[in-house]
Amino acid sequence: MSTTETISRAPTIGQSWPDQGGIYIGQRLIDGVAHHIIVAPGIEYDIEKVEFKNVDKAVADAGEINGHTDWRAPDQEDLMLAYINAPEQFVREGWDSICWSRSEHHDWPWAVDFEIGLVYYGYRGYEFRVRPFRSIIASSI
């Protein structure tokens, strides 16, 4: 199913959305358009020990997850939405609680720590987890 096809009604935030292959974590604007954001369900979908330069490739290499192939590395805003609405879906202690985003600010990559909710920049050579996300244009529902 493409991201612009008509889809079923979004579930309650933090709940499984089987038609979309993951957990619904909420809605956000991307380039001025409302999108529903879905995260791959469970830490078993985390890609471990990824350097920032390989974030997009690592998610692309993950291939199909729950019937969908349009997963992507999350933006920093996606991860913060997940921290607010579905933190139980992530590791919440130690180094494994840190996830790379695909976002950068002044050439520094951003990561989110699910243990304490901190968003910070990291060195490109650090290795953190990456969780696949997908987005669906909300007006297509």
Side-chain angles (χ1 to χ4, degrees):
M1 175 181 292
S2 77
T3 57
T4 57
E5 290 181 37
T6 302
I7 53 178
S8 64
R9 184 177 168 95
T12 303
I13 290 175
Q15 299 301 307
S16 177
W17 196 351
D19 293 349
Q20 297 307 319
I23 305 297
Y24 179 55
I25 61 165
Q27 193 177 98
R28 63 176 280 257
L29 291 178
I30 299 174
D31 297 327
V33 178
H35 283 250
H36 291 296
I37 307 298
I38 295 97
V39 62
I43 62 170
E44 66 271 18
Y45 292 101
D46 285 356
I47 304 160
E48 297 185 33
K49 298 186 178 182
V50 178
E51 287 186 22
F52 181 76
K53 67 181 180 182
N54 297 322
V55 165
D56 288 320
K57 182 180 182 327
V59 173
D61 288 349
E64 183 178 309
I65 298 173
N66 294 332
H68 298 276
T69 58
D70 59 343
W71 298 94
R72 61 175 174 75
D75 295 324
Q76 178 260 334
E77 294 90 346
D78 295 331
L79 286 172
M80 288 307 301
L81 190 63
Y83 177 78
I84 292 165
N85 291 334
E88 67 282 353
Q89 297 296 321
F90 293 81
V91 175
R92 303 217 36 217
E93 63 181 54
W95 285 102
D96 285 342
S97 68
I98 302 171
C99 293
W100 275 128
S101 76
R102 64 186 305 176
S103 302
E104 298 181 67
H105 184 67
H106 296 293
D107 208 32
W108 286 94
W110 288 98
V112 173
D113 186 334
F114 279 82
E115 182 173 8
I116 58 176
L118 180 66
V119 178
Y120 64 96
Y121 62 89
Y123 293 102
R124 293 176 180 278
Y126 286 174
E127 294 181 336
F128 297 132
R129 290 174 176 255
V130 179
R131 175 76 63 88
F133 279 64
R134 56 191 305 264
S135 63
I136 300 147
I137 296 172
S139 63
S140 66
I141 294 183

